[in-house]
Amino acid sequence: MMKFIRDLFTGADGKTWAIGRIYSLPMLVSGLGLPIAALIQGQPIDFAALGVMYGGLGGGVMAMVWGTNPTEPKEPPHE
């Protein structure tokens, strides 16, 4: 499980934590959980608004990941 988390949240070198991926996790989890919470409370879901929200959420997450991409190491360090 730790290898999966490390591979998910580190850069290409496998050691440096990708800060954009880590910071985007709360946005992603809260955005995916919002419709489920609305259904549990018995509130109707507007699918058009949900589509707009997911478009904005995806754009925000991608902006965070791509914005920090130039600062991350591209190749594994030579040991």
Side-chain angles (χ1 to χ4, degrees):
M1 184 67 174
M2 286 305 295
K3 180 175 177 1
F4 174 74
I5 292 173
R6 185 176 294 122
D7 288 345
L8 189 62
F9 292 114
T10 57
D13 64 350
K15 294 181 180 179
T16 306
W17 292 97
I19 197 74
R21 294 179 188 179
I22 294 170
Y23 282 162
S24 66
L25 183 65
M27 285 176 37
L28 185 63
V29 169
S30 63
L32 292 175
L34 188 64
I36 296 169
L39 283 175
I40 290 173
Q41 293 179 354
Q43 297 178 355
I45 296 177
D46 182 7
F47 287 112
L50 193 62
V52 171
M53 183 194 76
Y54 280 143
L57 180 67
V61 168
M62 288 309 298
M64 290 180 83
V65 171
W66 283 348
T68 59
N69 190 32
T71 63
E72 297 172 4
K74 300 297 181 233
E75 296 180 12
H78 300 288
E79 297 178 6

